[in-house]
Amino acid sequence: MNLITQIFIAFLLAIILGIIFNESISVIAPLGDLFLRLIKFIIAPLILSTLVVGVSSTGDPKQLGRIGLKTISYYLLTTAVAIIIGLGVAFLLSPGKGVDVSVSDDTAEVADQQQQSVVDTFLNIIPENPFDALASGNILQIIFFALFIGLAITFVGEKAQPVYRFFDAFAEVMYKITAIIMYVAPIGILGLVAPVIGEYGLSVLLPLLKVILAAVIACILHAVLVYSSAVKIYGKISPLSFFKGISPAALVAFSTASSAGTLPVTLKNTQENLCVPNKISSFVLPLGATINMDGTAIYQGTAVVFIAQFYGLDLSFIQLLTVVVTTVLASIGTAGVPGAGLIMLTMVLSSVNMPVEGIALIAGVDRILDMFRTTLNVVGDASATVVVAGSEKELRVDEPLKDS
């Protein structure tokens, strides 16, 4: 039985126990608190190590050339658009409204502290003392620090390889710690969800249907508007031909919810069906499996709005901007981590000082959401190969799916 199935069973068990025991089930709340503490304690070192490795492993920027620049730019731009679409659809459907859950004074006070100017927000991204940022868990400042370390390792070159190997090994250690923590996730979900159900009843679950609906609609909109336009403009391929060509990989991604596991099929489809040269697809697709998280970005957007509305918090423009920036930057370092969506959501919530406890309800339907967001990630990887190959005039002229 895999972890996702265990989490789903724990979620169902939490509902049953909450209904049966009502408020008395709150005695298991410490299990949820334990899980949250474990999640929070790995955030800072996980971001630092994975992001340093993610940036520095791309190689010398001068040698990456146009293909590397186009690929990374495309991935980051589409991720930013995805999070905006996710936020927009979530605000339209308002999945968290209608649930009466009181928020503590401390949380409300923290939310009020988010009201600051755009200039102050960007200035505060730069840490005066990076070790203070690590100690206090300031997510954006940690990301900034990690980005600069990664870039510096790349520019220094061979002499900086011991530093790179340290962070690479450190990242592997953090992956293992994360995997260990995820083993207790079902127990944590049980301790988080059951007390909420016991106190507020089944009415708190109804918005989850809206969360799923919002995520699915946003994924479809992103694919139709962004990917269709990109492959048409840069690859001169009709959107229908593109989606037909990548459909086998999309189906595998939907079934397995694993971008890495789908990579061989994605390579085959892009080379044979979309006629992208091997030299481009073999570079763009593995890189996409690392940093392209359009589906996950949409998941972040819908989840943040749901949790904010669930707790009765108003998201300011600065908070929304912070969510976009954090999601785009964190996408570089969180791909491939077990429980990446959950960890990334924790990072995003922490960056805007929102209640991390909200991840419990989202985790209950994470398997369904994961199928859709992984599919979008894989289709986005394929669209990048077409865009880059088309812009480089590398799409084969004998392409069977190309418009005449």
Side-chain angles (χ1 to χ4, degrees):
M1 186 183 300
N2 59 36
L3 180 62
I4 297 298
T5 303
Q6 293 175 22
I7 290 177
F8 184 70
I9 292 175
F11 184 75
L12 294 179
L13 182 60
I15 295 174
I16 295 173
L17 292 177
I19 295 174
I20 294 175
F21 295 101
N22 296 323
E23 294 185 6
S24 62
I25 196 63
S26 61
V27 295
I28 68 171
L31 295 176
D33 295 335
L34 171 64
F35 177 61
L36 287 178
R37 281 180 172 269
L38 290 172
I39 287 291
K40 290 177 180 179
F41 111 88
I42 65 169
I43 291 178
L46 184 64
I47 293 177
L48 179 65
S49 59
T50 57
L51 199 52
V52 168
V53 173
V55 173
S56 57
S57 63
T58 57
D60 188 349
K62 295 181 180 178
Q63 295 178 351
L64 287 177
R66 297 190 309 272
I67 293 178
L69 180 60
K70 290 177 181 178
T71 302
I72 295 173
S73 299
Y74 180 81
Y75 283 146
L76 296 183
L77 178 61
T78 55
T79 299
V81 174
I83 179 66
I84 293 172
I85 291 177
L87 289 169
V89 173
F91 274 118
L92 287 176
L93 295 184
S94 300
K97 286 189 176 179
V99 183
D100 185 15
V101 178
S102 59
V103 62
S104 66
D105 293 336
D106 292 339
T107 304
E109 181 179 349
V110 167
D112 290 338
Q113 292 174 356
Q114 297 298 316
Q115 305 295 332
Q116 54 181 327
S117 70
V118 175
V119 174
D120 289 338
T121 298
F122 280 103
L123 286 177
N124 289 336
I125 292 176
I126 304 174
E128 295 181 348
N129 186 333
F131 298 102
D132 282 345
L134 289 167
S136 62
N138 191 312
I139 304 300
L140 288 180
Q141 291 187 357
I142 295 172
I143 290 176
F144 182 89
F145 182 42
L147 285 174
F148 263 76
I149 293 178
L151 289 172
I153 291 174
T154 299
F155 284 119
V156 171
E158 186 63 30
K159 287 185 177 181
Q161 285 307 299
V163 180
Y164 171 79
R165 287 193 293 270
F166 165 77
F167 279 106
D168 189 32
F170 188 30
E172 290 299 327
V173 171
M174 294 311 303
Y175 293 152
K176 179 57 66 175
I177 293 176
T178 303
I180 294 172
I181 291 174
M182 293 310 295
Y183 277 121
V184 303
I187 298 175
I189 297 303
L190 183 66
L192 288 168
V193 175
V196 175
I197 299 298
E199 182 176 357
Y200 299 104
L202 288 175
S203 61
V204 301
L205 298 179
L206 297 180
L208 291 179
L209 297 177
K210 284 188 176 182
V211 173
I212 297 173
L213 181 62
V216 171
I217 291 176
C219 285
I220 293 174
L221 283 176
H222 189 70
V224 171
L225 297 178
V226 179
Y227 298 154
S228 296
S229 302
V231 299
K232 180 66 177 178
I233 294 173
Y234 294 100
K236 309 302 180 184
I237 298 177
S238 74
L240 289 178
S241 296
F242 166 74
F243 289 119
K244 178 182 178 182
I246 198 59
S247 59
L251 289 174
V252 173
F254 187 80
S255 302
T256 63
S258 172
S259 297
T262 311
L263 187 57
V265 184
T266 313
L267 282 165
K268 185 175 184 293
N269 288 168
T270 54
Q271 293 171 14
E272 296 180 2
N273 298 345
L274 304 179
C275 294
V276 176
N278 178 67
K279 67 178 182 179
I280 290 182
S281 61
S282 61
F283 171 80
V284 174
L285 292 177
L287 185 61
T290 303
I291 68 174
N292 181 43
M293 302 185 73
D294 292 0
T296 307
I298 285 175
Y299 165 77
Q300 304 300 315
T302 54
V304 165
V305 173
F306 164 71
I307 292 171
Q309 294 176 344
F310 185 87
Y311 285 97
L313 299 173
D314 293 325
L315 289 168
S316 67
F317 173 76
I318 297 301
Q319 285 178 295
L320 294 175
L321 183 62
T322 303
V323 168
V324 174
V325 173
T326 305
T327 300
V328 172
L329 295 180
S331 68
I332 299 175
T334 53
V337 181
L342 185 64
I343 299 297
M344 190 171 175
L345 179 57
T346 307
M347 296 177 187
V348 173
L349 292 175
S350 299
S351 70
V352 289
N353 292 325
M354 287 178 56
V356 180
E357 292 81 358
I359 65 175
L361 290 174
I362 294 293
V365 293
D366 185 70
R367 183 63 176 89
I368 299 174
L369 296 171
D370 197 12
M371 295 166 70
F372 287 99
R373 66 176 183 252
T374 302
T375 302
L376 189 69
N377 288 342
V378 169
V379 174
D381 294 346
S383 73
T385 63
V386 173
V387 168
V388 174
S391 64
E392 292 289 315
K393 310 298 183 185
E394 291 284 354
L395 280 176
R396 295 199 297 270
V397 295
D398 60 338
E399 180 185 357
L401 296 179
K402 193 172 182 178
D403 290 342
S404 58

